Amino acid sequence: MQLQQLTWQDYRLWSGAGWNTVSGELQVLPQVHSPQLKNDRNILVWLPPDYHTTEQRYPVIYMHDGQNLFDRATGFAGNEWCVDETMLALSEEGIKAIIVGLPNTSERMQEYNPFPDVWNGHGDLYLNFITDTVKPLVDDAFRTQPAREHTGIMGSSMGGLISLYGFFARPDTFGFAGVMSPSLWVGSGAIYDAVRERPYVDGKIYLDDGSREPSARKMKAALQRHGYKPGHNLLYVSEENGEHNEAAWARRLPNALRFLLA
């Protein structure tokens, strides 16, 4: 398909959006259609600072709630994850990746929920949208490392839930997962059975929570029983006084990415 690419500056003119805190190069693939979900959304693609001066190929992380990742003007309650600033800083350490942000839709609770019998969840369709529609577009348009070991999925809250589920449900595509403050309570903890019933998947999992939100320690134990080893392919972090918000996820993001991209 013919793919339109806009820089974020062009996108501001094209759409009237008020983006104003983006650092580095952010491109927009406008109104990408999902045949799986029967809807359209912009896809945001942040490029490493040396993208245009080298022939290097880069790992890719697909991140949910894309409108909250790069810009306070579009972030929830005027807050953002500071993914762009974090990646610029990490690039000085030699840690580089393309970040693909997928903004949520009005059906966020359904798209990030993998359990059809709970609130009409259609998380599998959302994952198919990422793996079968968005990823081929991104791999075709940008210099990616398309293999699963260089492809990650990451999000928080309900985005953390679908990231953990997606790591096990689509091991053909994802080789690592960032699971921040996951909504493990959905469906009375249905994710625990979903993880236990699926085979071990080779790759890395970053898992966290804040001490002022529901703990993910039980999931850490479940993942250890499944064969994941802390400090090797599993990192669990509980932030003292951490709350359930973008500021907390922004604080924990640098070390999460260091672990996942090392």
Side-chain angles (χ1 to χ4, degrees):
M1 68 178 283
Q2 192 70 22
L3 184 65
Q4 183 183 15
Q5 294 174 232
L6 300 172
T7 65
W8 72 267
Q9 292 96 334
D10 291 338
Y11 180 75
R12 290 180 65 189
L13 297 174
W14 180 74
S15 66
W19 296 44
N20 59 15
T21 65
V22 174
S23 298
E25 182 175 356
L26 182 66
Q27 295 200 7
V28 183
L29 312 182
Q31 296 302 291
V32 173
H33 179 68
S34 170
Q36 300 85 356
L37 298 163
K38 306 297 189 294
N39 59 25
D40 303 318
R41 77 192 76 197
N42 298 322
I43 303 298
L44 315 179
V45 182
W46 188 89
L47 299 176
D50 61 355
Y51 183 85
H52 296 293
T53 58
T54 73
E55 295 300 317
Q56 183 177 345
R57 290 185 172 271
Y58 301 87
V60 183
I61 306 179
Y62 292 85
M63 298 184 68
H64 319 295
D65 294 314
Q67 75 284 350
N68 297 335
L69 303 179
F70 306 106
D71 197 331
R72 289 196 301 272
T74 58
F76 178 75
N79 298 303
E80 57 156 309
W81 282 44
C82 301
V83 173
D84 43 345
E85 290 87 355
T86 294
M87 289 305 303
L88 284 175
L90 290 178
S91 71
E92 298 296 321
E93 304 174 20
I95 299 173
K96 303 173 186 178
I98 293 172
I99 306 297
V100 178
L102 298 105
N104 64 50
T105 70
S106 60
E107 295 194 340
R108 179 180 186 272
M109 292 296 287
Q110 288 76 36
E111 291 184 355
Y112 294 0
N113 170 15
F115 308 114
D117 56 342
V118 181
W119 315 319
N120 188 34
H122 40 256
D124 280 310
L125 293 178
Y126 173 70
L127 289 172
N128 291 343
F129 169 55
I130 297 174
T131 60
D132 302 341
T133 298
V134 178
K135 186 177 187 297
L137 290 176
V138 170
D139 288 341
D140 183 63
F142 302 96
R143 292 197 317 276
T144 69
Q145 292 180 297
R148 67 170 298 274
E149 59 265 31
H150 303 297
T151 305
I153 185 169
M154 188 172 197
S156 65
S157 193
M158 290 293 294
L161 176 70
I162 195 63
S163 295
L164 181 60
Y165 177 86
F167 176 76
F168 287 97
R170 294 301 304 261
D172 57 317
T173 299
F174 301 116
F176 57 93
V179 184
M180 305 183 91
S181 303
S183 298
L184 303 174
W185 49 268
V186 172
S188 300
I191 187 64
Y192 290 96
D193 286 339
V195 168
R196 184 175 62 249
E197 292 167 1
R198 292 179 182 270
Y200 174 90
V201 174
D202 187 36
K204 287 183 177 181
I205 302 174
Y206 170 87
L207 174 70
D208 76 14
D209 60 49
S211 63
R212 295 187 178 183
E213 60 179 344
S215 175
R217 188 174 295 277
K218 180 181 174 183
M219 178 54 72
K220 175 205 173 190
L223 291 170
Q224 286 185 255
R225 289 193 297 271
H226 213 50
Y228 296 92
K229 299 179 180 179
H232 174 60
N233 55 8
L234 172 65
L235 177 62
Y236 168 65
V237 173
S238 186
E239 182 188 27
E240 185 67 26
N241 295 320
E243 298 179 336
H244 197 83
N245 56 39
E246 281 71 23
W249 302 321
R251 283 194 304 271
R252 302 199 293 264
L253 184 63
N255 282 334
L257 294 176
R258 286 187 181 99
F259 173 73
L260 293 172
L261 293 170

